[in-house]
PDB file of all heavy atoms in Angstrom:
ATOM      1  N   PRO A   7      63.645  31.220 -29.761  1.00 93.00           N
ATOM      2  CA  PRO A   7      63.885  32.487 -29.046  1.00 93.00           C
ATOM      3  C   PRO A   7      62.977  33.586 -29.603  1.00 93.00           C
ATOM      4  O   PRO A   7      62.861  33.735 -30.825  1.00 93.00           O
ATOM      5  CB  PRO A   7      65.359  32.801 -29.344  1.00 93.00           C
ATOM      6  CG  PRO A   7      65.942  31.525 -29.850  1.00 93.00           C
ATOM      7  CD  PRO A   7      64.833  30.795 -30.514  1.00 93.00           C
ATOM      8  N   GLY A  14      73.523  36.475 -27.148  1.00 95.00           N
ATOM      9  CA  GLY A  14      74.594  35.929 -26.323  1.00 95.00           C
ATOM     10  C   GLY A  14      74.632  34.414 -26.371  1.00 95.00           C
ATOM     11  O   GLY A  14      73.914  33.771 -27.154  1.00 95.00           O
ATOM     12  N   SER A  24      63.372  11.670 -10.491  1.00 89.00           N
ATOM     13  CA  SER A  24      62.971  10.264 -10.483  1.00 89.00           C
ATOM     14  C   SER A  24      63.160   9.704  -9.076  1.00 89.00           C
ATOM     15  O   SER A  24      64.224   9.866  -8.478  1.00 89.00           O
ATOM     16  CB  SER A  24      63.816   9.471 -11.485  1.00 89.00           C
ATOM     17  OG  SER A  24      63.508   8.096 -11.412  1.00 89.00           O
ATOM     18  N   TYR A  50      65.653  44.120 -38.799  1.00 97.00           N
ATOM     19  CA  TYR A  50      65.102  43.487 -40.001  1.00 97.00           C
ATOM     20  C   TYR A  50      65.408  44.306 -41.248  1.00 97.00           C
ATOM     21  O   TYR A  50      65.206  45.514 -41.291  1.00 97.00           O
ATOM     22  CB  TYR A  50      63.595  43.317 -39.863  1.00 97.00           C
ATOM     23  CG  TYR A  50      62.920  42.823 -41.118  1.00 97.00           C
ATOM     24  CD1 TYR A  50      63.213  41.561 -41.643  1.00 97.00           C
ATOM     25  CD2 TYR A  50      61.993  43.622 -41.792  1.00 97.00           C
ATOM     26  CE1 TYR A  50      62.591  41.109 -42.793  1.00 97.00           C
ATOM     27  CE2 TYR A  50      61.365  43.177 -42.943  1.00 97.00           C
ATOM     28  CZ  TYR A  50      61.672  41.924 -43.442  1.00 97.00           C
ATOM     29  OH  TYR A  50      61.058  41.481 -44.588  1.00 97.00           O
ATOM     30  N   GLY A  66      85.325  43.181 -48.004  1.00 96.00           N
ATOM     31  CA  GLY A  66      84.962  44.589 -48.129  1.00 96.00           C
ATOM     32  C   GLY A  66      86.029  45.375 -48.863  1.00 96.00           C
ATOM     33  O   GLY A  66      87.083  44.847 -49.242  1.00 96.00           O
ATOM     34  N   GLY A  71      92.413  58.068 -50.044  1.00 95.00           N
ATOM     35  CA  GLY A  71      92.902  59.046 -50.999  1.00 95.00           C
ATOM     36  C   GLY A  71      92.310  60.420 -50.771  1.00 95.00           C
ATOM     37  O   GLY A  71      92.094  60.848 -49.628  1.00 95.00           O
ATOM     38  N   ILE A 129      85.763  50.000 -29.326  1.00 95.00           N
ATOM     39  CA  ILE A 129      86.734  49.929 -30.422  1.00 95.00           C
ATOM     40  C   ILE A 129      88.007  50.698 -30.079  1.00 95.00           C
ATOM     41  O   ILE A 129      89.117  50.188 -30.205  1.00 95.00           O
ATOM     42  CB  ILE A 129      86.110  50.457 -31.727  1.00 95.00           C
ATOM     43  CG1 ILE A 129      84.956  49.550 -32.183  1.00 95.00           C
ATOM     44  CG2 ILE A 129      87.166  50.545 -32.829  1.00 95.00           C
ATOM     45  CD1 ILE A 129      85.343  48.153 -32.542  1.00 95.00           C
ATOM     46  N   SER A 130      87.853  51.963 -29.596  1.00 92.00           N
ATOM     47  CA  SER A 130      89.074  52.734 -29.323  1.00 92.00           C
ATOM     48  C   SER A 130      88.937  53.749 -28.199  1.00 92.00           C
ATOM     49  O   SER A 130      89.897  54.457 -27.912  1.00 92.00           O
ATOM     50  CB  SER A 130      89.516  53.466 -30.601  1.00 92.00           C
ATOM     51  OG  SER A 130      90.809  53.990 -30.478  1.00 92.00           O
ATOM     52  N   SER A 167      93.833  37.395 -27.334  1.00 96.00           N
ATOM     53  CA  SER A 167      94.939  36.616 -26.764  1.00 96.00           C
ATOM     54  C   SER A 167      95.861  37.474 -25.906  1.00 96.00           C
ATOM     55  O   SER A 167      96.605  36.950 -25.073  1.00 96.00           O
ATOM     56  CB  SER A 167      95.750  35.958 -27.885  1.00 96.00           C
ATOM     57  OG  SER A 167      96.324  36.937 -28.729  1.00 96.00           O
ATOM     58  N   ARG A 190      78.374  42.820 -37.862  1.00 98.00           N
ATOM     59  CA  ARG A 190      77.871  41.768 -38.751  1.00 98.00           C
ATOM     60  C   ARG A 190      77.865  40.418 -38.042  1.00 98.00           C
ATOM     61  O   ARG A 190      76.946  39.615 -38.236  1.00 98.00           O
ATOM     62  CB  ARG A 190      78.732  41.699 -40.018  1.00 98.00           C
ATOM     63  CG  ARG A 190      78.527  42.862 -40.972  1.00 98.00           C
ATOM     64  CD  ARG A 190      79.286  42.666 -42.280  1.00 98.00           C
ATOM     65  NE  ARG A 190      79.153  43.840 -43.147  1.00 98.00           N
ATOM     66  CZ  ARG A 190      79.630  43.936 -44.385  1.00 98.00           C
ATOM     67  NH1 ARG A 190      80.281  42.910 -44.912  1.00 98.00           N
ATOM     68  NH2 ARG A 190      79.461  45.038 -45.089  1.00 98.00           N
ATOM     69  N   CYS A 220     103.533  82.779 -45.962  1.00 93.00           N
ATOM     70  CA  CYS A 220     103.712  83.462 -47.249  1.00 93.00           C
ATOM     71  C   CYS A 220     104.329  82.566 -48.315  1.00 93.00           C
ATOM     72  O   CYS A 220     104.234  82.864 -49.512  1.00 93.00           O
ATOM     73  CB  CYS A 220     104.562  84.719 -47.069  1.00 93.00           C
ATOM     74  SG  CYS A 220     103.769  85.976 -46.041  1.00 93.00           S
ATOM     75  N   ASN A 298      78.878  69.489 -42.923  1.00 92.00           N
ATOM     76  CA  ASN A 298      78.340  70.785 -43.344  1.00 92.00           C
ATOM     77  C   ASN A 298      79.197  71.979 -42.929  1.00 92.00           C
ATOM     78  O   ASN A 298      78.744  73.121 -43.017  1.00 92.00           O
ATOM     79  CB  ASN A 298      76.931  70.981 -42.774  1.00 92.00           C
ATOM     80  CG  ASN A 298      75.903  70.095 -43.453  1.00 92.00           C
ATOM     81  OD1 ASN A 298      75.445  70.378 -44.552  1.00 92.00           O
ATOM     82  ND2 ASN A 298      75.553  68.998 -42.785  1.00 92.00           N
ATOM     83  N   PRO A 321      83.481  72.464 -50.626  1.00 77.00           N
ATOM     84  CA  PRO A 321      82.759  72.261 -49.367  1.00 77.00           C
ATOM     85  C   PRO A 321      83.250  71.022 -48.636  1.00 77.00           C
ATOM     86  O   PRO A 321      83.728  70.071 -49.263  1.00 77.00           O
ATOM     87  CB  PRO A 321      81.303  72.103 -49.818  1.00 77.00           C
ATOM     88  CG  PRO A 321      81.381  71.632 -51.235  1.00 77.00           C
ATOM     89  CD  PRO A 321      82.620  72.273 -51.810  1.00 77.00           C
ATOM     90  N   ASP A 338      77.849  56.288 -54.282  1.00 97.00           N
ATOM     91  CA  ASP A 338      77.870  57.642 -53.727  1.00 97.00           C
ATOM     92  C   ASP A 338      76.607  57.844 -52.889  1.00 97.00           C
ATOM     93  O   ASP A 338      75.498  57.811 -53.410  1.00 97.00           O
ATOM     94  CB  ASP A 338      77.938  58.671 -54.848  1.00 97.00           C
ATOM     95  CG  ASP A 338      78.267  60.069 -54.334  1.00 97.00           C
ATOM     96  OD1 ASP A 338      77.715  60.455 -53.285  1.00 97.00           O
ATOM     97  OD2 ASP A 338      79.054  60.783 -54.970  1.00 97.00           O
ATOM     98  N   ILE A 363      72.842  74.674 -32.824  1.00 89.00           N
ATOM     99  CA  ILE A 363      74.248  74.669 -32.432  1.00 89.00           C
ATOM    100  C   ILE A 363      74.640  75.988 -31.779  1.00 89.00           C
ATOM    101  O   ILE A 363      75.437  76.024 -30.838  1.00 89.00           O
ATOM    102  CB  ILE A 363      75.131  74.375 -33.665  1.00 89.00           C
ATOM    103  CG1 ILE A 363      74.892  72.931 -34.137  1.00 89.00           C
ATOM    104  CG2 ILE A 363      76.611  74.582 -33.348  1.00 89.00           C
ATOM    105  CD1 ILE A 363      75.601  72.580 -35.428  1.00 89.00           C
ATOM    106  N   VAL A 508      98.894  38.904 -57.686  1.00 91.00           N
ATOM    107  CA  VAL A 508      98.607  37.562 -57.165  1.00 91.00           C
ATOM    108  C   VAL A 508      98.051  36.713 -58.303  1.00 91.00           C
ATOM    109  O   VAL A 508      97.080  37.112 -58.958  1.00 91.00           O
ATOM    110  CB  VAL A 508      97.607  37.612 -55.993  1.00 91.00           C
ATOM    111  CG1 VAL A 508      97.308  36.205 -55.494  1.00 91.00           C
ATOM    112  CG2 VAL A 508      98.134  38.489 -54.877  1.00 91.00           C
ATOM    113  N   ARG A 515      90.418  23.939 -54.152  1.00 90.00           N
ATOM    114  CA  ARG A 515      89.426  22.941 -53.748  1.00 90.00           C
ATOM    115  C   ARG A 515      89.482  22.784 -52.233  1.00 90.00           C
ATOM    116  O   ARG A 515      90.541  22.946 -51.625  1.00 90.00           O
ATOM    117  CB  ARG A 515      89.704  21.583 -54.420  1.00 90.00           C
ATOM    118  CG  ARG A 515      89.609  21.608 -55.949  1.00 90.00           C
ATOM    119  CD  ARG A 515      90.075  20.283 -56.538  1.00 90.00           C
ATOM    120  NE  ARG A 515      90.078  20.302 -57.982  1.00 90.00           N
ATOM    121  CZ  ARG A 515      89.050  19.933 -58.735  1.00 90.00           C
ATOM    122  NH1 ARG A 515      87.933  19.507 -58.162  1.00 90.00           N
ATOM    123  NH2 ARG A 515      89.133  19.977 -60.050  1.00 90.00           N
ATOM    124  N   LYS A 535     114.557  48.377 -48.834  1.00 90.00           N
ATOM    125  CA  LYS A 535     115.091  47.574 -47.732  1.00 90.00           C
ATOM    126  C   LYS A 535     113.977  47.069 -46.825  1.00 90.00           C
ATOM    127  O   LYS A 535     112.894  47.645 -46.763  1.00 90.00           O
ATOM    128  CB  LYS A 535     116.086  48.406 -46.920  1.00 90.00           C
ATOM    129  CG  LYS A 535     117.248  48.959 -47.740  1.00 90.00           C
ATOM    130  CD  LYS A 535     118.109  49.897 -46.916  1.00 90.00           C
ATOM    131  CE  LYS A 535     119.216  50.512 -47.757  1.00 90.00           C
ATOM    132  NZ  LYS A 535     120.031  51.485 -46.987  1.00 90.00           N
ATOM    133  N   THR A 540     102.974  40.279 -46.494  1.00 90.00           N
ATOM    134  CA  THR A 540     101.992  39.681 -45.594  1.00 90.00           C
ATOM    135  C   THR A 540     100.818  39.175 -46.415  1.00 90.00           C
ATOM    136  O   THR A 540     100.229  39.930 -47.203  1.00 90.00           O
ATOM    137  CB  THR A 540     101.492  40.698 -44.554  1.00 90.00           C
ATOM    138  OG1 THR A 540     102.617  41.225 -43.834  1.00 90.00           O
ATOM    139  CG2 THR A 540     100.542  40.042 -43.571  1.00 90.00           C
ATOM    140  N   PHE A 547      93.874  30.943 -44.974  1.00 87.00           N
ATOM    141  CA  PHE A 547      94.942  30.903 -43.972  1.00 87.00           C
ATOM    142  C   PHE A 547      94.315  31.012 -42.586  1.00 87.00           C
ATOM    143  O   PHE A 547      93.477  31.887 -42.348  1.00 87.00           O
ATOM    144  CB  PHE A 547      95.913  32.079 -44.166  1.00 87.00           C
ATOM    145  CG  PHE A 547      96.651  32.070 -45.469  1.00 87.00           C
ATOM    146  CD1 PHE A 547      96.169  32.781 -46.550  1.00 87.00           C
ATOM    147  CD2 PHE A 547      97.827  31.360 -45.613  1.00 87.00           C
ATOM    148  CE1 PHE A 547      96.843  32.795 -47.749  1.00 87.00           C
ATOM    149  CE2 PHE A 547      98.512  31.359 -46.813  1.00 87.00           C
ATOM    150  CZ  PHE A 547      98.022  32.074 -47.893  1.00 87.00           C
ATOM    151  N   HIS A 587     110.999  49.883 -45.967  1.00 75.00           N
ATOM    152  CA  HIS A 587     111.423  51.083 -45.251  1.00 75.00           C
ATOM    153  C   HIS A 587     110.828  52.344 -45.862  1.00 75.00           C
ATOM    154  O   HIS A 587     110.839  53.406 -45.233  1.00 75.00           O
ATOM    155  CB  HIS A 587     112.947  51.172 -45.245  1.00 75.00           C
ATOM    156  CG  HIS A 587     113.554  51.647 -46.529  1.00 75.00           C
ATOM    157  ND1 HIS A 587     113.505  50.911 -47.697  1.00 75.00           N
ATOM    158  CD2 HIS A 587     114.205  52.798 -46.838  1.00 75.00           C
ATOM    159  CE1 HIS A 587     114.118  51.581 -48.662  1.00 75.00           C
ATOM    160  NE2 HIS A 587     114.554  52.734 -48.168  1.00 75.00           N
TER     161      HIS A 587
END
Side-chain angles (χ1 to χ4, degrees):
S24 176
Y50 173 64
I129 295 296
S130 192
S167 62
R190 288 186 184 185
C220 295
N298 288 282
D338 193 318
I363 293 174
V508 179
R515 297 173 184 269
K535 303 174 183 177
T540 304
F547 297 94
H587 77 293

